[in-house]
């Protein structure tokens, strides 16, 4: 005789395995293997409860990514943007996009000395693009994951998971967006700028203040310049090292100095702060300085978002 309870128990998904202490690489991954385990456990308990209460249907996942499972995607192209900064193109299953919302990112996992290292990356291709996605990655000489990424080759299958990130954006809910980015911090900004200027209904004005080391280190330089043709996007570049400004292109505004708190404050005088959204993405110290500058200019906390 079959026992109904046993039958249902057989249908439950396997319990996620708790990471061993040695699985944590100790480099402050966000999310780290323990955070991922806690989240998986929470979702597993919820799923078990649903099945025990009579529901068996899987929650449909629209895009190619899965929030709970690592999915492997093949690298089909690698392009060097400048030394130590590469653009990787990954193939998606036919007819699928990533299923990201504006400003969301993915996480990637690599194994180093038997331990998982996890980092976040924001695709720079259109979030609705089907068939492939692009990720721009800067390689750091002492970077835990990027020293493994630098060995990626075309044909490798890389495990990604997502979407992640709780940035939420509604068309026209702010009059103005001030974006403060440094280095690869341009990735989420670029994704958001494209989504806004491509939406005819969106009348939000965007100003980007972008800090790079030198002119040749400006990421997505051509792409950003093209976006400046839209009435609602303008940008100023700031250089942290001296450079030859004769390399400046027509229509480009380049300041041969660091981006300062005063620059942020004077931008914030252009529109009422309560109808301005401030987005920040760069290094830890850059983020701290920029968030403080926005707060000093009386931008309410709810209008400041740090990626
Ligand atoms: C939401 C989000 C989205 C991101 N999107 C991207 C993206 O699209 N492309 C991308 O390249 N990175 C992106 N990053 C950063 C990325 O997640 C990693 O932190 C980065 O690749 C470094 O990882 P690592 O393990 O090699 O370096 P780590 O081992 O973590 O750091 C080693 C050293 O590298 C240097 N370093 C690390 N990160 C930075 C930094 N941001 N600026 C300056 N120096 C640094 C420092 O010297 C640091 O001591 C994103 C981060 C977040 C939070």
């Amino acid at each position: 005789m079959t026992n109904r309870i046993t039958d249902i128990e057989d249908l439950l998904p396997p319990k996620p395995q708790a990471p061993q202490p040695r699985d944590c690489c100790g480099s402050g991954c966000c999310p780290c293997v323990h955070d991922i385990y806690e989240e998986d456990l929470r979702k597993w308990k919820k799923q078990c409860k649903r099945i025990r209460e009579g529901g068996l249907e899987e929650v449909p996942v629209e895009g190619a990514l899965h929030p709970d499972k690592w999915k492997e995607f093949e690298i089909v192209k690698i392009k060097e943007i400048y030394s130590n900064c590469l653009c990787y193109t990954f193939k998606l299953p036919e007819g699928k996009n990533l299923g990201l919302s504006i400003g969301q990112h993915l996480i990637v996992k690599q194994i180093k000395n038997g331990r998982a290292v996890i980092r976040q990356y924001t695709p720079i291709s259109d979030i609705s693009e089907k068939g492939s996605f692009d990720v721009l990655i800067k390689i750091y000489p002492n970077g835990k994951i990027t020293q493994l990424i630098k060995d990626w080759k075309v044909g490798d299958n890389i495990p990604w998971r997502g979407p992640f990130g709780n940035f939420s954006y509604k068309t026209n809910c702010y009059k103005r967006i001030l974006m403060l980015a440094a280095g690869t911090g341009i990735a989420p900004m670029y994704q958001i700028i494209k989504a806004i200027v491509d939406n005819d209904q969106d009348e939000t004005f965007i100003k980007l203040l972008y800090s790079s080391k030198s002119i040749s280190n400006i990421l997505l330089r051509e792409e950003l310049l093209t976006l400046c043709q839209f009435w609602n996007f303008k940008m100023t570049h700031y250089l942290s090292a001296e450079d030859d400004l004769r390399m400046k292109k027509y229509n480009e505004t380049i300041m041969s100095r660091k981006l300062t708190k005063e620059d942020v404050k004077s931008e914030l005088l252009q529109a009422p702060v309560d109808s301005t959204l401030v987005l920040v993405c760069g290094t830890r110290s850059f983020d701290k300085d920029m968030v403080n500058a926005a707060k000093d200019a009386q931008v309410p906390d709810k209008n400041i978002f740090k990626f």
Side-chain angles (χ1 to χ4, degrees):
M1 198 178 78
T2 47
N3 175 328
R4 190 173 174 277
I5 297 298
T6 311
D7 281 349
I8 287 178
E9 294 303 307
D10 285 347
L11 294 171
L12 301 181
K15 187 175 177 184
Q17 280 199 339
Q20 301 295 312
R22 63 174 173 77
D23 290 335
C24 174
C25 69
S27 67
C29 297
C30 177
C32 105
V33 283
H34 296 288
D35 302 327
I36 289 182
Y37 170 67
E38 290 303 327
E39 183 62 13
D40 287 349
L41 197 64
R42 193 186 60 76
K43 284 183 180 156
W44 175 77
K45 284 182 184 160
K46 212 168 142 190
Q47 209 178 354
C48 291
K49 184 167 177 274
R50 207 176 55 234
I51 293 173
R52 286 196 181 103
E53 285 169 0
L56 262 179
E57 78 294 351
E58 274 251 325
V59 180
V61 175
E62 303 267 314
L65 284 175
H66 200 290
D68 311 335
K69 294 176 192 155
W70 294 101
K71 294 258 186 161
E72 292 203 340
F73 300 111
E74 185 188 338
I75 301 177
V76 288
K77 193 168 139 197
I78 302 178
K79 185 177 164 198
E80 185 169 286
I81 306 296
Y82 64 81
S83 125
N84 287 333
C85 190
L86 299 109
C87 183
Y88 297 88
T89 304
F90 291 86
K91 188 171 154 191
L92 288 172
E94 182 119 7
K96 289 258 182 188
N97 62 25
L98 279 172
L100 295 189
S101 299
I102 177 170
Q104 284 192 307
H105 60 270
L106 332 174
I107 59 171
V108 72
K109 179 174 73 171
Q110 295 286 274
I111 305 294
K112 187 174 187 170
N113 304 328
R115 292 170 182 201
V117 187
I118 295 158
R119 293 286 184 271
Q120 298 138 299
Y121 293 97
T122 313
I124 54 162
S125 42
D126 281 355
I127 49 177
S128 57
E129 189 169 318
K130 291 182 178 166
S132 69
F133 69 98
D134 297 334
V135 187
L136 190 67
I137 302 183
K138 180 166 179 186
I139 308 295
Y140 294 98
N142 54 344
K144 269 219 162 74
I145 211 164
T146 51
Q147 281 304 306
L148 302 171
I149 290 177
K150 82 174 176 11
D151 295 331
W152 285 356
K153 332 178 270 312
V154 169
D156 286 354
N157 286 296
I158 306 298
W160 291 96
R161 195 168 146 170
F164 283 91
N166 45 16
F167 174 70
S168 82
Y169 177 77
K170 265 206 240 127
T171 305
N172 293 324
C173 66
Y174 297 96
K175 278 201 167 58
R176 193 177 161 95
I177 299 181
L178 177 62
M179 298 182 162
L180 306 167
T184 50
I186 193 65
M189 308 299 185
Y190 181 63
Q191 199 201 82
I192 296 167
I193 300 163
K194 272 202 303 179
I196 293 179
V197 298
D198 281 346
N199 179 357
D200 290 342
Q201 309 300 316
D202 203 326
E203 296 188 345
T204 312
F205 181 84
I206 309 165
K207 179 73 184 272
L208 166 71
L209 306 186
Y210 183 24
S211 167
S212 306
K213 194 170 165 203
S214 61
I215 293 183
S216 55
N217 282 4
I218 297 175
L219 295 171
L220 300 167
R221 186 177 175 198
E222 285 302 328
E223 291 84 349
L224 288 167
L225 204 50
T226 306
L227 290 172
C228 282
Q229 290 166 5
F230 288 88
W231 71 270
N232 55 342
F233 173 65
K234 293 287 164 283
M235 65 175 175
T236 303
H237 291 292
Y238 292 83
L239 306 178
S240 56
E242 265 191 29
D243 208 344
D244 182 357
L245 286 188
R246 280 174 303 180
M247 280 156 48
K248 180 174 108 52
K249 296 192 179 175
Y250 175 71
N251 252 349
E252 239 178 357
T253 310
I254 301 187
M255 311 300 272
S256 185
R257 60 171 178 80
K258 279 188 174 174
L259 169 61
T260 65
K261 288 183 175 189
E262 281 60 43
D263 296 314
V264 176
K265 286 183 196 162
S266 74
E267 274 302 328
L268 287 167
L269 292 175
Q270 308 296 318
V273 284
D274 48 1
S275 58
T276 302
L277 172 67
V278 179
L279 301 180
V280 181
C281 194
T283 60
R284 215 168 272 179
S285 66
F286 175 89
D287 292 353
K288 194 170 155 223
D289 288 350
M290 296 298 118
V291 168
N292 284 340
K295 284 185 176 176
D296 289 352
Q298 310 302 318
V299 179
D301 285 358
K302 66 174 177 52
N303 291 24
I304 304 175
F305 187 89
K306 184 174 79 63
F307 286 93

